[in-house]
Amino acid sequence: MSYVTHLESAIDGTHLPHGELQTLHEGRPLWVRYDLEAVAAAMTKESVAKRDPTMWRYQELLPVDDDTKIASLGEGMTPLLRCERLGAALGLNDLWVKDESQLPTGSFKSRGLAMAVSRANELGVKSVAIPTAGNAGGAMAAYAARVGLDAYVFMPADTPIVNQYEAAYYGAEAFLVDGLITDCGAIVRDGTPHMGWFDVSTLKEPYRIEGKKTMGLELAEQSDWSLPDVILYPTGGGTGLIGMWKAFAELAEIGWLADERRPRMVSCQSDGCAPISTAWSKGERFAEPFPDAATAASGLRVPAAVGDFMILDAVNESGGQARDCPEAFLLAWARRASALEGIAFAPETGACIGVLEMLVEEKAIDPDERVVIFNTGAAQKYVEVIGAEPLSTLPDPVDWAAFSASTT
Ligand SMILES: *Cc1c(COP(=O)(O)O)cnc(C)c1O
């Protein structure tokens, strides 16, 4: 059995039972709450260290009751990579990337959806549905397949091509919708009473946050329980940023953190879709829907986030910032950083690097501070972006003297 005690409304604190399916309360997300005293008594750093290198190693801090219901593809314990060359390009001496591109289905959506599908499976759900404009649909389809649930995925017609194909490839019923992600969400809402679906949209059920929380748990363990100074996170719905901030609070509560320091959480967006940074700059707790949202970083194309106040609360409590960088910078940085480090940086991560460049210039970050960027997805999934610069062709016959001069 898990150590979950109840679910708690993030907007008004109402308690709800966790043994049954729950969605939103007053249109807003739910927190999963644990008996942390019992967790502290049951779990030791030594026992965790001996477990398999997956996100399930933190089982006492996770919501699944019955291990046999878990949908897993071995997700978790992604590498934390030091980036000296990218750091030098930015004027930073202690820059690290947590490389989530190596996860099943090529993005960190696998963490949240592994958890949401596992809990849905445990609570008797037979069929799951999701509106998506990017990586979430493929991840849901993969985990649903893993435990034999039916999967329905609804995507705007301009969703990146790999995301369209992967959902169908993992056996989901996948549909293109002539409209926006909000129209796809409306289809899921309309269809649910007829189809018996469970809606696993971002933050509409309580467990995707718990899956993404494991990024924070892993980062802490990989840093010997001493957290970095700054974390940069590409923010769409905000699940990961919210989840990590929750992870740090829970680790502090069970007495596992080496000191009192908490990272400054920096929420990063593109100026093509910047609702959170816009609200932050105005000092507001809730974000206005962002008009005409457009960015090649599909994970950031979330014009209205149902957990906006949870993101902004975390950013502000941490002493961080919510910022956006120009769309052109973000794409240029993703490409340049990939060439500097050999890491497949997703366009979303380009927003973090663009914002980081601004913060270093503004002296909001000291060159010796430890900075961690989350590379949330694999560049290979964005063929439209990475194929934008065509390759040169080789002349026939090759004049090697001219060739040598032209490539060096
Ligand atoms: C979904 C997604 C994001 C945004 O994640 P949230 O936790 O919803 O803010 C960032 N990057 C990639 C690659 C994504 O797929």
Side-chain angles (χ1 to χ4, degrees):
M1 290 299 279
S2 76
Y3 291 86
V4 176
T5 52
H6 61 280
L7 304 174
E8 181 189 312
S9 160
I11 199 76
D12 66 13
T14 302
H15 287 200
L16 295 162
H18 66 285
E20 55 199 72
L21 291 172
Q22 299 284 1
T23 55
L24 299 172
H25 174 78
E26 301 289 343
R28 294 293 188 171
L30 302 174
W31 296 114
V32 179
R33 295 301 186 201
Y34 298 81
D35 179 350
L36 291 174
E37 230 169 276
V39 170
M43 191 182 180
T44 66
K45 291 178 183 174
E46 294 69 31
S47 65
V48 167
K50 290 196 200 101
R51 294 178 187 164
D52 287 347
T54 74
M55 69 179 210
W56 304 96
R57 67 203 266 110
Y58 308 105
Q59 62 181 61
E60 290 87 346
L61 281 172
L62 300 178
V64 172
D65 286 322
D66 175 358
D67 287 358
T68 67
K69 302 293 185 192
I70 289 177
S72 175
L73 295 162
E75 51 291 323
M77 268 301 159
T78 55
L80 181 61
L81 302 169
R82 180 141 199 202
C83 291
E84 283 183 43
R85 287 157 57 77
L86 179 58
L90 291 159
L92 290 169
N93 302 320
D94 200 11
L95 178 66
W96 298 73
V97 168
K98 182 127 169 92
D99 189 15
E100 300 280 295
S101 74
Q102 301 187 29
L103 287 166
T105 74
S107 91
F108 73 154
K109 288 291 191 301
S110 55
R111 294 183 189 269
L113 284 148
M115 194 63 72
V117 169
S118 295
R119 277 297 283 162
N121 187 35
E122 173 164 81
L123 293 171
V125 167
K126 299 282 176 249
S127 180
V128 283
I130 199 166
T132 178
N135 291 309
M140 187 200 77
Y143 288 98
R146 190 78 173 141
V147 290
L149 303 190
D150 292 336
Y152 292 80
V153 177
F154 300 91
M155 299 171 266
D158 60 353
T159 298
I161 198 77
V162 173
N163 296 134
Q164 298 182 23
Y165 291 158
E166 67 176 339
Y169 199 64
Y170 293 128
E173 300 282 347
F175 300 93
L176 291 182
V177 172
D178 181 16
L180 306 173
I181 177 114
T182 43
D183 300 306
C184 298
I187 289 171
V188 172
R189 260 197 320 281
D190 286 353
T192 290
H194 305 284
M195 300 294 294
W197 292 329
F198 186 62
D199 179 356
V200 296
S201 305
T202 306
L203 294 172
K204 289 201 180 150
E205 58 74 59
Y207 300 109
R208 281 176 63 180
I209 294 182
E210 296 304 295
K212 288 228 185 139
K213 183 176 90 177
T214 60
M215 288 190 291
L217 302 175
E218 284 178 21
L219 176 62
E221 186 178 2
Q222 289 171 318
S223 319
D224 211 11
W225 309 105
S226 178
L227 298 172
D229 298 297
V230 182
I231 289 177
L232 291 106
Y233 180 82
T235 306
T239 330
L241 190 147
I242 296 166
M244 279 195 275
W245 193 242
K246 183 173 191 280
F248 301 151
E250 290 176 355
L251 287 174
E253 186 80 20
I254 65 170
W256 280 28
L257 293 182
D259 49 54
E260 296 283 295
R261 291 178 319 111
R262 298 286 177 279
R264 309 200 291 284
M265 304 296 287
V266 180
S267 161
C268 306
Q269 299 193 308
S270 160
D271 66 357
C273 182
I276 300 298
S277 54
T278 305
W280 184 81
S281 67
K282 293 186 194 154
E284 281 161 10
R285 189 176 182 225
F286 298 95
E288 293 292 326
F290 196 85
D292 305 322
T295 167
S298 51
L300 306 185
R301 208 166 50 154
V302 181
V306 65
D308 51 0
F309 64 107
M310 299 158 87
I311 305 169
L312 288 159
D313 286 355
V315 164
N316 288 326
E317 277 169 32
S318 77
Q321 303 194 26
R323 299 289 295 268
D324 55 82
C325 83
E327 175 78 5
F329 286 26
L330 153 177
L331 293 173
W333 264 122
R335 180 173 295 272
R336 184 170 170 213
S338 299
L340 279 171
E341 295 291 352
I343 295 170
F345 283 107
E348 287 82 352
T349 313
C352 295
I353 307 173
V355 167
L356 184 54
E357 183 184 32
M358 289 160 40
L359 294 179
V360 172
E361 218 164 77
E362 293 167 15
K363 302 207 185 314
I365 295 178
D366 183 87
D368 289 323
E369 286 192 300
R370 175 160 298 179
V371 177
V372 175
I373 292 174
F374 276 78
N375 181 35
T376 47
Q380 293 90 326
K381 298 188 78 176
Y382 302 77
V383 287
E384 297 89 341
V385 175
I386 67 173
E389 280 180 25
L391 306 188
S392 353
T393 50
L394 204 57
D396 181 24
V398 182
D399 172 348
W400 288 109
F403 183 77
S404 161
S406 72
T407 56
T408 50

